[in-house]
Amino acid sequence: MAIGTISDLKDQLSFTDDIGDADDGLLQRKLDAAQSHVERMLGFKIEECFGGEDQDPIPPDLIEAVLQLGAWWYEQRETAVTGTIVAEVPYGVQELVNGYREWTW
């Protein structure tokens, strides 16, 4: 179950109506990859704990983490960039996820 839509991701990226649908396939791949990555960070699939019948709704901050990461990957398509400051994937995604993560030692 996807927790964000292409429309949500376009909003996150501040796309205007004149952009069209040419990148929808790419946006969907970024969105799917971002959700998969967040779920690996969590240690569980989001749909196992949230959004279903008799479950709490999907927390807005997990949706935000997926959208931030998907937008970052859409805008930063290279694995490495030279001549610039090195930065981790969007600051805040880890912090958004940590509150829901299954911690084990």
Side-chain angles (χ1 to χ4, degrees):
M1 163 182 75
I3 67 170
T5 66
I6 291 174
S7 179
D8 295 333
L9 188 53
K10 285 180 176 180
D11 288 345
Q12 184 80 19
L13 290 160
S14 298
F15 278 12
T16 58
D17 291 337
D18 62 337
I19 296 294
D21 301 329
D23 274 357
D24 281 4
L26 178 60
L27 289 167
Q28 188 63 58
R29 286 194 311 273
K30 301 299 181 186
L31 193 57
D32 292 343
Q35 181 166 334
S36 177
H37 186 74
V38 166
E39 288 174 339
R40 284 193 316 278
M41 291 168 70
L42 288 166
F44 61 86
K45 294 234 179 251
I46 293 168
E47 64 194 25
E48 292 173 359
C49 297
F50 301 106
E53 190 173 319
D54 298 326
Q55 292 178 324
D56 289 334
I58 299 168
D61 40 355
L62 288 181
I63 296 169
E64 180 64 22
V66 168
L67 293 175
Q68 280 186 20
L69 193 56
W72 175 264
W73 284 344
Y74 177 80
E75 291 181 334
Q76 308 297 321
R77 299 183 196 185
E78 304 299 326
T79 56
V81 178
T82 58
T84 188
I85 297 171
V86 175
E88 291 185 29
V89 184
Y91 179 76
V93 169
Q94 182 70 47
E95 287 75 16
L96 290 168
V97 171
N98 278 346
Y100 300 95
R101 186 172 168 209
E102 289 187 355
W103 296 92
T104 58
W105 310 114

XYZ file of all heavy atoms in Angstrom:
830
model
N 0.849 -1.177 0.000
C 0.000 0.000 0.000
C 0.897 1.244 0.000
O 1.740 1.410 0.875
C -0.888 -0.031 1.247
C -1.524 1.291 1.588
S -2.510 1.279 3.082
C -1.268 1.253 4.333
N 0.714 2.058 -0.977
C 1.475 3.305 -1.050
C 0.881 4.327 -0.089
O -0.337 4.462 0.004
C 1.451 3.850 -2.471
N 1.744 5.030 0.627
C 1.238 6.026 1.573
C 1.270 7.430 0.999
O 0.850 8.371 1.644
C 1.975 5.971 2.928
C 3.437 6.391 2.788
C 1.873 4.594 3.536
C 4.131 6.595 4.123
N 1.776 7.568 -0.205
C 1.784 8.847 -0.896
C 1.429 8.615 -2.355
O 1.580 7.514 -2.873
N 0.957 9.632 -3.017
C 0.594 9.534 -4.422
C 1.528 10.398 -5.263
O 2.257 11.244 -4.731
C -0.853 10.013 -4.654
O -0.911 11.421 -4.362
C -1.838 9.243 -3.788
N 1.479 10.194 -6.560
C 2.257 11.043 -7.463
C 1.838 12.496 -7.275
O 2.672 13.398 -7.270
C 2.084 10.589 -8.925
C 2.753 9.230 -9.127
C 2.663 11.614 -9.886
C 2.529 8.626 -10.493
N 0.558 12.723 -7.091
C 0.062 14.084 -6.864
C 0.677 14.686 -5.597
O 1.079 15.858 -5.588
C -1.461 14.077 -6.774
O -1.954 15.365 -6.531
N 0.766 13.885 -4.534
C 1.403 14.350 -3.294
C 2.865 14.713 -3.540
O 3.364 15.726 -3.040
C 1.362 13.264 -2.210
C -0.035 12.917 -1.744
O -0.931 13.776 -1.830
O -0.216 11.768 -1.292
N 3.553 13.865 -4.310
C 4.964 14.114 -4.589
C 5.142 15.359 -5.455
O 6.057 16.148 -5.233
C 5.606 12.891 -5.242
C 7.119 12.911 -5.417
C 7.841 13.208 -4.100
C 7.601 11.598 -6.010
N 4.240 15.560 -6.416
C 4.295 16.774 -7.232
C 4.078 18.012 -6.364
O 4.737 19.034 -6.558
C 3.261 16.720 -8.351
C 3.646 15.792 -9.480
C 2.579 15.770 -10.561
C 2.992 14.916 -11.744
N 1.969 14.883 -12.799
N 3.178 17.920 -5.397
C 2.984 19.035 -4.459
C 4.258 19.281 -3.653
O 4.657 20.434 -3.447
C 1.827 18.755 -3.506
C 0.469 18.830 -4.166
O 0.368 19.374 -5.288
O -0.505 18.328 -3.563
N 4.892 18.208 -3.185
C 6.129 18.322 -2.413
C 7.214 19.022 -3.234
O 7.998 19.807 -2.705
C 6.610 16.923 -1.995
C 7.824 16.899 -1.120
C 7.511 17.193 0.332
O 6.377 17.090 0.773
N 8.523 17.566 1.085
N 7.231 18.739 -4.525
C 8.228 19.314 -5.430
C 7.816 20.683 -5.957
O 8.550 21.298 -6.726
C 8.463 18.364 -6.610
C 9.197 17.070 -6.268
C 8.952 16.011 -7.329
C 10.678 17.351 -6.110
N 6.643 21.154 -5.572
C 6.109 22.444 -6.028
C 5.943 22.494 -7.543
O 6.200 23.521 -8.170
C 6.980 23.615 -5.554
O 6.997 23.670 -4.159
N 5.527 21.372 -8.126
C 5.246 21.355 -9.559
C 4.040 22.237 -9.839
O 3.113 22.316 -9.043
C 4.921 19.935 -10.039
C 6.121 19.071 -10.309
C 7.394 19.431 -9.905
C 5.975 17.878 -10.980
C 8.487 18.625 -10.162
C 7.067 17.067 -11.246
C 8.323 17.433 -10.834
N 4.049 22.880 -10.982
C 2.905 23.668 -11.417
C 2.060 22.826 -12.373
O 2.509 21.776 -12.853
C 3.367 24.957 -12.116
O 4.192 24.606 -13.225
C 4.136 25.854 -11.157
N 0.863 23.277 -12.660
C -0.056 22.520 -13.515
C 0.475 22.318 -14.926
O 0.083 21.385 -15.610
C -1.423 23.207 -13.578
C -2.159 23.123 -12.250
O -1.863 22.213 -11.453
O -3.034 23.977 -12.015
N 1.360 23.187 -15.378
C 1.863 23.081 -16.749
C 2.973 22.033 -16.907
O 3.443 21.801 -18.011
C 2.352 24.438 -17.259
C 3.510 24.999 -16.452
O 3.672 24.603 -15.282
O 4.241 25.840 -16.999
N 3.374 21.373 -15.833
C 4.424 20.357 -15.909
C 3.941 19.138 -16.696
O 4.689 18.541 -17.440
C 4.876 19.922 -14.493
C 5.517 21.088 -13.756
C 5.807 18.729 -14.542
C 6.812 21.587 -14.339
N 2.698 18.758 -16.519
C 2.167 17.601 -17.228
C 2.517 16.292 -16.540
O 2.945 16.264 -15.395
N 2.360 15.201 -17.289
C 2.522 13.862 -16.727
C 3.745 13.133 -17.263
O 3.888 11.930 -17.059
C 1.274 13.029 -17.029
C 0.005 13.659 -16.459
O 0.098 14.327 -15.417
O -1.068 13.456 -17.056
N 4.625 13.819 -17.964
C 5.759 13.167 -18.622
C 6.654 12.407 -17.644
O 7.202 11.368 -17.998
C 6.583 14.200 -19.386
N 6.813 12.887 -16.431
C 7.690 12.243 -15.448
C 6.954 11.345 -14.461
O 7.548 10.897 -13.478
C 8.469 13.310 -14.665
C 9.738 13.745 -15.365
O 10.048 13.190 -16.437
O 10.413 14.651 -14.848
N 5.689 11.063 -14.699
C 4.922 10.290 -13.723
C 5.524 8.918 -13.437
O 5.531 8.463 -12.293
C 3.465 10.139 -14.160
C 2.649 11.387 -13.889
O 3.224 12.401 -13.435
O 1.427 11.354 -14.147
N 6.050 8.243 -14.456
C 6.681 6.944 -14.233
C 7.893 7.060 -13.328
O 8.075 6.262 -12.399
N 8.720 8.049 -13.580
C 9.900 8.296 -12.757
C 9.501 8.686 -11.337
O 10.071 8.190 -10.359
C 10.758 9.388 -13.387
C 12.010 9.812 -12.621
C 12.959 8.637 -12.431
C 12.701 10.958 -13.347
N 8.514 9.553 -11.219
C 8.044 9.959 -9.889
C 7.516 8.767 -9.099
O 7.777 8.648 -7.898
C 6.954 11.032 -10.018
C 7.424 12.399 -10.481
C 6.229 13.266 -10.867
C 8.258 13.081 -9.418
N 6.797 7.869 -9.766
C 6.269 6.687 -9.072
C 7.401 5.794 -8.594
O 7.357 5.275 -7.476
C 5.322 5.899 -9.978
C 4.597 4.767 -9.255
C 3.690 5.283 -8.157
O 2.790 6.079 -8.406
N 3.910 4.835 -6.927
N 8.435 5.626 -9.409
C 9.586 4.816 -8.987
C 10.280 5.436 -7.778
O 10.658 4.723 -6.845
C 10.579 4.645 -10.138
C 10.118 3.691 -11.206
C 11.227 3.271 -12.154
N 12.029 4.353 -12.700
C 11.721 5.036 -13.804
N 10.627 4.760 -14.476
N 12.528 5.992 -14.238
N 10.445 6.745 -7.784
C 11.083 7.424 -6.648
C 10.227 7.279 -5.389
O 10.744 7.047 -4.294
C 11.321 8.910 -6.946
C 12.194 9.178 -8.152
C 13.577 8.599 -8.006
C 14.411 8.915 -9.236
N 15.714 8.271 -9.215
N 8.920 7.409 -5.547
C 7.998 7.274 -4.422
C 8.026 5.854 -3.851
O 8.106 5.664 -2.636
C 6.588 7.649 -4.892
C 5.508 7.879 -3.869
C 5.900 8.964 -2.879
C 4.214 8.255 -4.562
N 7.999 4.856 -4.739
C 8.049 3.460 -4.293
C 9.368 3.161 -3.585
O 9.388 2.499 -2.540
C 7.872 2.509 -5.480
C 6.480 2.558 -6.097
O 5.539 3.076 -5.449
O 6.335 2.080 -7.239
N 10.469 3.641 -4.158
C 11.784 3.413 -3.552
C 11.890 4.103 -2.196
O 12.445 3.546 -1.243
C 12.886 3.905 -4.487
N 11.357 5.309 -2.098
C 11.403 6.045 -0.828
C 10.615 5.318 0.248
O 11.076 5.185 1.384
C 10.869 7.464 -1.023
N 9.432 4.828 -0.090
C 8.638 4.100 0.908
C 9.356 2.821 1.321
O 9.411 2.493 2.508
C 7.241 3.778 0.389
C 6.414 3.047 1.443
C 4.950 2.991 1.129
O 4.415 3.842 0.426
N 4.276 1.985 1.659
N 9.924 2.113 0.365
C 10.668 0.897 0.684
C 11.837 1.208 1.619
O 12.082 0.486 2.586
C 11.162 0.258 -0.611
O 11.944 -0.873 -0.339
N 12.544 2.290 1.344
C 13.679 2.681 2.181
C 13.226 3.043 3.600
O 13.838 2.607 4.582
C 14.415 3.858 1.537
C 15.662 4.232 2.256
N 16.809 3.486 2.193
C 15.935 5.277 3.073
C 17.740 4.063 2.939
N 17.235 5.149 3.480
N 12.161 3.814 3.699
C 11.637 4.180 5.023
C 11.196 2.928 5.779
O 11.456 2.796 6.977
C 10.493 5.215 4.894
C 9.721 5.355 6.199
C 11.053 6.557 4.459
N 10.570 1.995 5.087
C 10.143 0.760 5.758
C 11.336 -0.060 6.236
O 11.287 -0.656 7.318
C 9.256 -0.064 4.815
C 7.898 0.560 4.628
C 7.015 -0.114 3.603
O 7.524 -0.836 2.713
O 5.789 0.084 3.684
N 12.433 -0.074 5.482
C 13.641 -0.754 5.952
C 14.203 -0.047 7.179
O 14.691 -0.695 8.111
C 14.684 -0.840 4.838
C 14.355 -1.898 3.799
C 15.513 -2.209 2.866
N 16.232 -1.066 2.358
C 15.856 -0.316 1.311
N 14.741 -0.589 0.675
N 16.595 0.698 0.914
N 14.136 1.279 7.195
C 14.596 2.033 8.360
C 13.725 1.716 9.581
O 14.233 1.631 10.703
C 14.559 3.536 8.071
C 15.585 3.988 7.045
S 15.297 5.681 6.464
C 15.724 6.625 7.913
N 12.429 1.560 9.346
C 11.499 1.268 10.435
C 11.664 -0.152 10.967
O 11.454 -0.411 12.145
C 10.054 1.437 9.957
C 9.555 2.849 9.717
C 8.248 2.831 8.940
C 9.389 3.584 11.034
N 11.958 -1.083 10.069
C 12.017 -2.491 10.444
C 10.692 -3.201 10.251
O 10.530 -4.350 10.678
N 9.729 -2.545 9.605
C 8.432 -3.158 9.316
C 7.766 -2.420 8.166
O 8.123 -1.281 7.864
C 7.523 -3.153 10.544
C 7.201 -1.780 11.082
C 6.141 -1.033 10.580
C 7.944 -1.226 12.118
C 5.839 0.230 11.072
C 7.651 0.028 12.630
C 6.601 0.760 12.104
N 6.819 -3.096 7.520
C 6.030 -2.463 6.461
C 4.981 -1.569 7.123
O 4.334 -1.968 8.091
C 5.350 -3.510 5.586
C 6.334 -4.353 4.801
C 5.975 -4.302 3.359
C 6.940 -5.116 2.548
N 7.802 -4.312 1.751
N 4.813 -0.392 6.617
C 3.897 0.585 7.206
C 2.482 0.018 7.306
O 1.807 0.184 8.321
C 3.946 1.902 6.408
C 5.327 2.548 6.578
C 2.831 2.855 6.827
C 5.631 3.696 5.653
N 2.041 -0.696 6.271
C 0.671 -1.228 6.262
C 0.444 -2.289 7.336
O -0.696 -2.600 7.665
C 0.339 -1.794 4.891
C 1.191 -2.977 4.504
C 1.105 -3.324 3.026
O 0.791 -2.443 2.216
O 1.362 -4.481 2.700
N 1.514 -2.856 7.902
C 1.360 -3.835 8.973
C 0.901 -3.175 10.274
O 0.315 -3.840 11.124
C 2.675 -4.570 9.225
C 3.095 -5.473 8.088
C 4.487 -6.065 8.304
O 5.143 -5.757 9.327
O 4.914 -6.829 7.426
N 1.180 -1.905 10.433
C 0.891 -1.222 11.700
C -0.072 -0.052 11.581
O -0.678 0.340 12.578
C 2.195 -0.716 12.316
S 3.341 -2.024 12.740
N -0.185 0.531 10.378
C -0.958 1.755 10.227
C -1.851 1.703 8.991
O -1.510 1.078 7.999
C -0.030 2.976 10.099
C 0.893 3.180 11.261
C 2.246 2.886 11.145
C 0.421 3.666 12.464
C 3.114 3.082 12.210
C 1.274 3.856 13.535
C 2.622 3.565 13.409
N -2.965 2.399 9.084
C -3.799 2.650 7.918
C -4.839 1.608 7.593
O -5.672 1.813 6.716
N -4.821 0.489 8.263
C -5.784 -0.566 7.982
C -6.956 -0.527 8.947
O -7.043 0.322 9.837
N -7.839 -1.481 8.762
C -8.994 -1.598 9.656
C -8.494 -1.917 11.067
O -7.611 -2.757 11.251
C -9.904 -2.717 9.147
C -11.241 -2.766 9.839
C -12.170 -3.779 9.195
O -12.203 -3.862 7.964
O -12.851 -4.474 9.960
N -9.055 -1.250 12.039
C -8.674 -1.415 13.448
C -7.214 -1.027 13.718
O -6.603 -1.516 14.665
C -8.920 -2.852 13.933
C -10.388 -3.237 13.876
O -11.245 -2.364 14.104
O -10.671 -4.421 13.588
N -6.647 -0.166 12.856
C -5.300 0.346 13.077
C -5.360 1.865 13.153
O -6.299 2.478 12.657
C -4.365 -0.050 11.924
C -4.063 -1.516 11.838
C -3.178 -1.829 10.643
O -3.303 -1.215 9.589
N -2.295 -2.794 10.810
N -4.347 2.428 13.762
C -4.233 3.885 13.761
C -3.988 4.358 12.332
O -3.430 3.618 11.512
C -3.060 4.329 14.642
C -3.325 4.122 16.123
O -4.508 4.113 16.517
O -2.345 3.957 16.872
N -4.389 5.592 12.021
C -4.076 6.129 10.689
C -2.564 6.254 10.508
O -1.804 6.281 11.479
C -4.752 7.495 10.671
C -5.112 7.803 12.072
C -5.116 6.536 12.847
N -2.149 6.338 9.256
C -0.721 6.502 8.968
C -0.282 7.853 9.524
O -0.880 8.885 9.202
C -0.449 6.425 7.462
C -0.878 5.061 6.922
C 1.029 6.682 7.170
C -0.926 4.967 5.423
N 0.758 7.875 10.364
C 1.210 9.139 10.940
C 1.673 10.112 9.848
O 2.397 9.722 8.930
C 2.385 8.734 11.832
C 2.157 7.286 12.136
C 1.506 6.732 10.906
N 1.263 11.374 9.943
C 1.659 12.363 8.940
C 3.171 12.503 8.794
O 3.663 12.779 7.701
C 1.036 13.665 9.438
C 0.007 13.273 10.411
C 0.394 11.944 10.958
N 3.920 12.299 9.879
C 5.365 12.453 9.756
C 6.012 11.311 8.968
O 7.035 11.504 8.318
C 6.061 12.675 11.103
C 5.523 11.845 12.235
O 4.532 11.120 12.064
O 6.117 11.916 13.324
N 5.411 10.121 8.954
C 5.928 9.050 8.096
C 5.623 9.343 6.630
O 6.455 9.094 5.752
C 5.351 7.689 8.490
C 5.859 7.095 9.800
C 5.233 5.733 10.049
C 7.378 6.996 9.802
N 4.447 9.900 6.374
C 4.120 10.318 5.007
C 5.107 11.393 4.563
O 5.637 11.350 3.451
C 2.666 10.818 4.920
C 1.694 9.681 5.234
C 2.375 11.414 3.540
C 0.257 10.119 5.429
N 5.393 12.345 5.444
C 6.341 13.417 5.134
C 7.729 12.855 4.847
O 8.407 13.301 3.919
C 6.407 14.422 6.288
C 7.353 15.576 6.067
C 6.962 16.484 4.913
O 5.774 16.516 4.513
O 7.856 17.184 4.397
N 8.163 11.872 5.622
C 9.479 11.267 5.398
C 9.560 10.640 4.008
O 10.548 10.820 3.291
C 9.777 10.221 6.475
N 8.525 9.912 3.607
C 8.502 9.281 2.284
C 8.511 10.344 1.192
O 9.262 10.240 0.211
C 7.284 8.340 2.147
C 7.085 7.900 0.706
C 7.442 7.125 3.059
N 7.710 11.390 1.355
C 7.646 12.439 0.333
C 8.953 13.232 0.261
O 9.421 13.564 -0.839
C 6.464 13.366 0.592
C 5.083 12.723 0.425
C 3.991 13.699 0.837
C 4.873 12.234 -0.997
N 9.562 13.540 1.395
C 10.852 14.242 1.390
C 11.907 13.429 0.667
O 12.662 13.945 -0.152
C 11.328 14.518 2.823
C 10.705 15.698 3.476
C 11.340 15.983 4.826
O 12.455 15.554 5.125
N 10.626 16.718 5.659
N 11.960 12.149 0.976
C 12.966 11.292 0.374
C 12.715 11.114 -1.124
O 13.643 11.198 -1.932
C 12.981 9.938 1.088
C 14.148 9.026 0.800
C 15.478 9.699 1.082
C 14.007 7.749 1.633
N 11.459 10.886 -1.508
C 11.134 10.759 -2.925
C 11.479 12.022 -3.702
O 12.033 11.957 -4.805
N 11.178 13.181 -3.134
C 11.492 14.458 -3.781
C 13.003 14.647 -3.888
O 13.508 15.093 -4.918
C 10.857 15.613 -3.008
N 13.721 14.300 -2.838
C 15.184 14.424 -2.851
C 15.765 13.563 -3.966
O 16.611 14.016 -4.729
C 15.745 14.007 -1.495
C 17.233 13.978 -1.452
C 18.034 12.891 -1.643
C 18.119 15.079 -1.212
N 19.354 13.247 -1.526
C 19.434 14.583 -1.261
C 17.914 16.430 -0.944
C 20.540 15.389 -1.062
C 19.025 17.229 -0.745
C 20.309 16.719 -0.799
N 15.322 12.324 -4.045
C 15.855 11.423 -5.069
C 15.471 11.869 -6.472
O 16.204 11.642 -7.422
C 15.410 9.995 -4.814
C 16.172 9.339 -3.688
C 17.345 9.751 -3.134
C 15.804 8.171 -2.990
N 17.729 8.906 -2.133
C 16.801 7.915 -2.017
C 14.717 7.303 -3.064
C 16.755 6.831 -1.159
C 14.671 6.209 -2.204
C 15.681 5.983 -1.265
N 14.320 12.493 -6.622
C 13.932 13.011 -7.936
C 14.851 14.160 -8.345
O 15.298 14.223 -9.486
C 12.476 13.482 -7.912
C 12.040 14.086 -9.222
C 11.673 13.274 -10.286
C 12.010 15.461 -9.404
C 11.290 13.828 -11.507
C 11.630 16.027 -10.608
C 11.263 15.202 -11.658
O 10.887 15.750 -12.863
N 15.129 15.047 -7.407
C 15.938 16.226 -7.717
C 17.431 15.938 -7.754
O 18.173 16.616 -8.450
C 15.649 17.341 -6.706
C 14.253 17.904 -6.868
C 13.937 19.022 -5.895
O 14.549 19.063 -4.801
O 13.081 19.837 -6.228
N 17.892 14.964 -7.009
C 19.317 14.612 -6.931
C 19.496 13.233 -7.552
O 19.527 12.239 -6.849
C 19.795 14.598 -5.476
C 19.482 15.832 -4.696
C 20.153 17.063 -5.250
O 21.289 17.031 -5.690
N 19.428 18.168 -5.249
N 19.640 13.156 -8.838
C 19.669 11.860 -9.523
C 21.049 11.254 -9.631
O 21.208 10.132 -10.087
C 19.060 12.016 -10.912
C 17.614 12.482 -10.813
C 16.973 12.584 -12.144
N 15.760 13.385 -12.031
C 14.929 13.584 -13.005
N 15.150 13.046 -14.185
N 13.862 14.322 -12.836
N 22.059 11.961 -9.230
C 23.423 11.450 -9.307
C 23.805 10.788 -7.985
O 23.364 11.197 -6.918
C 24.404 12.591 -9.602
C 24.084 13.375 -10.857
C 24.114 12.540 -12.126
O 24.944 11.613 -12.207
O 23.314 12.813 -13.025
N 24.677 9.786 -8.057
C 25.137 9.142 -6.828
C 26.248 9.934 -6.158
O 26.483 9.787 -4.974
C 25.646 7.718 -7.107
O 26.674 7.777 -8.090
C 24.511 6.841 -7.596
N 26.925 10.758 -6.938
C 27.999 11.584 -6.384
C 28.075 12.884 -7.172
O 27.836 12.904 -8.365
C 29.323 10.851 -6.458
N 28.415 13.950 -6.463
C 28.579 15.251 -7.092
C 29.909 15.807 -6.610
O 30.197 15.799 -5.417
C 27.426 16.206 -6.707
C 27.637 17.564 -7.329
C 26.087 15.625 -7.107
N 30.722 16.297 -7.532
C 32.002 16.871 -7.132
C 31.908 18.391 -7.124
O 31.052 18.975 -7.787
C 33.119 16.432 -8.098
O 32.769 16.844 -9.425
C 33.325 14.947 -8.056
N 32.778 18.997 -6.341
C 32.837 20.455 -6.294
C 31.731 21.084 -5.482
O 31.396 22.244 -5.676
N 31.168 20.351 -4.565
C 30.103 20.882 -3.719
C 30.219 20.290 -2.322
O 31.033 19.403 -2.080
C 28.719 20.589 -4.337
O 27.727 21.273 -3.586
C 28.409 19.121 -4.367
N 29.412 20.742 -1.436
C 29.402 20.232 -0.068
C 28.729 18.858 -0.056
O 27.701 18.660 -0.701
C 28.643 21.199 0.859
C 29.362 22.543 0.893
C 28.488 20.618 2.253
C 28.592 23.625 1.603
N 29.279 17.943 0.690
C 28.684 16.616 0.829
C 27.602 16.697 1.893
O 27.802 17.265 2.963
C 29.758 15.585 1.230
C 29.124 14.232 1.484
C 30.831 15.502 0.165
N 26.446 16.141 1.579
C 25.346 16.143 2.540
C 24.635 14.802 2.503
O 24.553 14.163 1.468
C 24.351 17.251 2.195
N 24.145 14.386 3.664
C 23.351 13.168 3.723
C 22.008 13.410 3.065
O 21.612 14.544 2.824
C 23.146 12.754 5.179
C 24.411 12.275 5.843
C 24.149 11.750 7.234
O 23.039 11.249 7.492
O 25.060 11.848 8.054
N 21.302 12.315 2.845
C 19.953 12.402 2.308
C 19.162 13.310 3.232
O 19.514 13.457 4.392
C 19.348 10.994 2.234
C 17.986 10.994 1.609
C 20.267 10.085 1.452
N 18.094 13.911 2.741
C 17.458 15.027 3.434
C 17.492 14.939 4.951
O 17.029 13.980 5.527
C 16.028 15.014 2.945
C 15.947 14.047 1.858
C 17.233 13.283 1.786
N 18.073 15.968 5.500
C 18.132 16.067 6.950
C 16.711 16.039 7.486
O 15.843 16.752 7.009
C 18.815 17.373 7.361
C 18.895 17.539 8.847
C 19.816 16.821 9.577
C 18.029 18.380 9.511
C 19.892 16.953 10.943
C 18.097 18.522 10.879
C 19.028 17.809 11.591
O 19.089 17.922 12.940
N 16.475 15.193 8.402
C 15.155 15.122 9.008
C 14.445 13.816 8.746
O 13.613 13.401 9.536
N 14.723 13.134 7.636
C 14.034 11.874 7.347
C 14.316 10.867 8.457
O 13.402 10.246 8.989
C 14.429 11.313 5.961
C 13.940 9.889 5.781
C 13.877 12.199 4.855
N 15.582 10.720 8.829
C 15.932 9.785 9.901
C 15.215 10.154 11.205
O 14.677 9.290 11.884
C 17.445 9.766 10.133
C 17.897 8.783 11.191
C 17.742 7.346 10.763
O 18.128 6.993 9.660
N 17.188 6.520 11.614
N 15.181 11.434 11.519
C 14.531 11.877 12.752
C 13.024 11.616 12.713
O 12.419 11.265 13.718
C 14.812 13.361 12.999
C 16.237 13.644 13.435
C 17.262 13.561 12.306
O 16.858 13.582 11.118
O 18.448 13.460 12.603
N 12.415 11.800 11.549
C 10.987 11.533 11.412
C 10.680 10.052 11.612
O 9.675 9.690 12.226
C 10.479 11.972 10.032
C 10.423 13.470 9.783
C 10.194 13.748 8.299
C 9.337 14.115 10.614
N 11.548 9.200 11.131
C 11.325 7.755 11.191
C 11.646 7.185 12.573
O 10.970 6.271 13.044
C 12.169 7.054 10.093
C 12.142 5.546 10.261
C 11.665 7.450 8.715
N 12.649 7.726 13.244
C 13.118 7.144 14.502
C 12.027 6.965 15.552
O 12.066 6.017 16.330
C 14.252 7.974 15.093
C 15.580 7.642 14.473
O 15.730 6.634 13.787
N 16.560 8.503 14.689
N 11.062 7.839 15.599
C 10.014 7.734 16.599
C 9.104 6.531 16.419
O 8.397 6.139 17.346
N 9.143 5.917 15.250
C 8.283 4.765 14.953
C 9.081 3.488 14.736
O 8.509 2.420 14.572
C 7.450 5.043 13.695
C 6.568 6.237 13.864
C 6.977 7.499 13.436
C 5.335 6.131 14.497
C 6.181 8.610 13.612
C 4.537 7.245 14.679
C 4.963 8.478 14.235
O 4.172 9.579 14.423
N 10.384 3.600 14.770
C 11.258 2.476 14.453
C 11.184 1.400 15.512
O 11.033 1.681 16.702
C 12.692 2.994 14.344
C 13.652 1.968 13.886
C 15.007 2.570 13.616
N 15.938 1.469 13.450
C 17.210 1.525 13.734
N 17.737 2.641 14.183
N 17.978 0.490 13.564
N 11.297 0.143 15.070
C 11.393 -0.977 16.003
C 12.857 -1.168 16.360
O 13.651 -1.568 15.520
C 10.820 -2.244 15.391
C 9.321 -2.224 15.254
C 8.755 -3.553 14.812
O 9.524 -4.488 14.511
O 7.535 -3.662 14.778
N 13.199 -0.804 17.575
C 14.596 -0.885 18.020
C 14.863 -2.253 18.604
O 14.097 -2.768 19.413
C 14.874 0.179 19.071
C 14.742 1.569 18.536
C 13.626 2.348 18.557
C 15.757 2.343 17.873
N 13.869 3.550 17.955
C 15.178 3.584 17.534
C 17.087 2.099 17.549
C 15.885 4.570 16.877
C 17.785 3.100 16.910
C 17.179 4.314 16.579
N 15.945 -2.879 18.167
C 16.374 -4.154 18.736
C 17.875 -4.086 18.963
O 18.588 -3.367 18.279
C 16.063 -5.339 17.803
O 16.701 -5.119 16.543
C 14.568 -5.500 17.594
N 18.333 -4.842 19.918
C 19.769 -4.855 20.231
C 20.283 -6.246 20.102
O 19.770 -7.225 20.310
C 20.045 -4.331 21.637
C 19.393 -3.029 21.919
C 18.394 -2.790 22.811
C 19.655 -1.758 21.306
N 18.036 -1.474 22.794
C 18.784 -0.810 21.875
C 20.526 -1.326 20.329
C 18.771 0.510 21.511
C 20.506 -0.001 19.973
C 19.649 0.899 20.560
